[in-house]
Amino acid sequence: MTQSFSWLHRGVAEIFPHNGDNDPESLEKRLLNSDCPLRIKLGIDPTGADIHLGHSIPVRKLRAFQDAGHTAVLIIGDFTARIGDPTGKSEVRRQLTEADVAQNAQTYLDQVRPILDFDTPGRLEVRYNSEWLSRLDLGKTLELLSTMTVGQMLAKEGFAERYKQESPIFLHEFLYPLMQGYDSVAVEADVELGGTDQKFNIAVGRDLQRHFGLKPQFGLLLPILIGTDGVQKMSKSLGNYVGLGEHPSQKYQKLQGIPDNLLSQYFELLTDLPLDSLPENPRYAQEFLAWEIVSQYHGEAAANQAREAAKTGGREGALPEYSVAAIPQFPAKLAFILGATGLCKSTAEGKRKIQEGGVRINGDKIADADLSFFTPDDLYDKVLQVGKKNFVRLVK
């Protein structure tokens, strides 16, 4: 096992516990002294259908551990997603159905496949936490609840703010950190990865492992990615995101406009490129970043095509176009538009593709088979997608 830990520390905000460089119980020491691969946990709750580049950061670190010879344990939170992580939320989250979660989980796995090593034996375990959480009886649940006080729960940032503002906090939300922490017990994690907003949840995992007689895991926290606006964290609701499921041309055009002050962070967190050999000219650096990230997910040929399309204003090559003026009348159903653009053979096939979860608009999955658009303005510059490879940009 390598003595160099540059891969471990790249882009990391915090590793805990850490008691100085000479700490005999440090993560580096455990990596060096372990006689078997460590188990590296990353939990993702499929509360939505899509992942953006911000979500990819801990997944990329999980791949770095795989490449260093360790076992990645990717936990799909199909049980915890039905509650939803209350971290950073000012109100209770909508509870999802089992069908919602199952469909979202499959799209998550599809989107992280280009990042993780799914093929090398022993390098990846994909686990669903319903495997153990659905079997917890009331006695075991009471044992979990007895490990934490109400005061400790209210110290959690989101809960503290809601309590102060007299916003409702429901008892099932208190269960989320405990269930997420119990995941670490169930898979016997040595290290858990997460964003800087996950420290509380990861610490709960350490406490529960100690309670159940296991060696407590290390927590490795990664920064929250700032979005393409250069101001707020990347978020679909803010529209400042780059989705993993987006067309290569869309990705490229968004990334080549990243603000100069974010370039170093994006290179550090989203690529493996040496940081001391990047272009000094910001414009060249933006283009290099866009090409590198698109090539990671779609290959060099697609990255080259997206680059050429960007040079011509995005009007040639990578993304076919369809004029909204050709739609005979409005309101127009999406299923009809899919047939009109040639993405589907007919309106009936368009409706079926929507029902199957295979249709996206600007990277967002569409679930309403009867969705209608009332004016051409509602469609301009939107990108329709059917399946993984068929795209059309709607223009005037």
Side-chain angles (χ1 to χ4, degrees), residues 235-250:
S235 167
K236 291 190 67 177
S237 62
L238 297 174
N240 63 351
Y241 70 98
V242 180
L244 299 195
E246 289 185 287
H247 188 277
S249 183
Q250 282 181 290

Side-chain angles (χ1 to χ4, degrees), residues 7 218 228 250 269 285 296:
W7 63 269
F218 285 90
T228 55
Q250 282 181 290
L269 297 177
Q296 286 179 23

